[in-house]
Amino acid sequence: GSIQPLKFTDKACPVLLRWREGHLQLLAFRHPLAGCQIVKGTVEEYEEPSETVVRELGEESGIEDARMIEPWGQLLLRAEKQRWHLFLCQVERALPDAWDFYTKDGGGQTFAFFWHNLDEIAGDEWHPAFRKALGFIRRRVEERAEGVLSVSP
């Protein structure tokens, strides 16, 4: 028989950044069961990942007014059989330092949002897949250090 190609599930991840006290911070949240994460959602059959990313941000965080700035590329996670599409997103207002949001995802749960300093090591409370994503985001930020980085206020 022929070898079946691995079927990867496409996921979209919004990257929201802000500067505070000299630190570049990334929007993240604590999942009640699965530790620290960034927003991530499945790309539906009828969607482009660039559409998913804005929809998922609304569904998981309550942020309805973000816009997608630019695609930051794809992260292939073979162990998870997932392809993550990362997009830099931006809002035109200052978001709170922390908030809780009840999402209907996974039967309904509350996500505790916070800002993660990108220059700090992500500890064991982060799943390895999300630690990989943080490394990917750091590299993208470093590539843009000389240029313009669209951050939220």
Side-chain angles (χ1 to χ4, degrees), residues 126-141:
W126 291 82
H127 181 278
F130 288 98
R131 287 209 291 269
K132 269 185 201 153
L134 288 175
F136 182 96
I137 291 165
R138 265 189 222 104
R139 286 193 296 278
R140 287 287 175 271
V141 166

Side-chain angles (χ1 to χ4, degrees), residues 4-25:
Q4 289 296 315
L6 276 178
K7 180 84 178 81
F8 282 84
T9 303
D10 285 293
K11 303 281 183 178
C13 304
V15 175
L16 238 70
L17 301 170
R18 71 175 194 177
W19 286 103
R20 286 296 181 277
E21 291 157 16
H23 295 280
L24 190 61
Q25 299 181 326

Side-chain angles (χ1 to χ4, degrees), residues 12-18 24-28 38-40 53-54 57 63 66-73 75 84-91 95 115-116 118 133-134 136-138 140-141 144 149-152:
C13 304
V15 175
L16 238 70
L17 301 170
R18 71 175 194 177
L24 190 61
Q25 299 181 326
L26 170 71
L27 183 67
I38 60 172
V39 172
K40 169 177 68 77
V53 78
V54 175
L57 188 59
I63 298 168
R67 60 194 182 100
M68 194 275 285
I69 302 293
E70 61 177 2
W72 270 16
L75 180 62
W84 292 10
H85 302 258
L86 287 93
F87 293 89
L88 181 64
C89 296
Q90 188 181 29
V91 292
L95 292 165
W115 295 89
H116 170 73
L118 269 177
L134 288 175
F136 182 96
I137 291 165
R138 265 189 222 104
R140 287 287 175 271
V141 166
R144 276 155 185 76
L149 188 64
S150 296
V151 297
S152 298

Side-chain angles (χ1 to χ4, degrees), residues 28-31 34-38 114 125-127 130:
F29 68 91
R30 279 182 193 82
H31 188 290
C36 294
Q37 306 188 2
I38 60 172
F114 68 98
E125 69 272 22
W126 291 82
H127 181 278
F130 288 98

Side-chain angles (χ1 to χ4, degrees), residues 20 22 34 38 52 61 76 92 99 105 122 132 141:
R20 286 296 181 277
I38 60 172
T52 308
S61 75
L76 213 57
E92 299 293 339
W99 72 92
D105 278 22
K132 269 185 201 153
V141 166

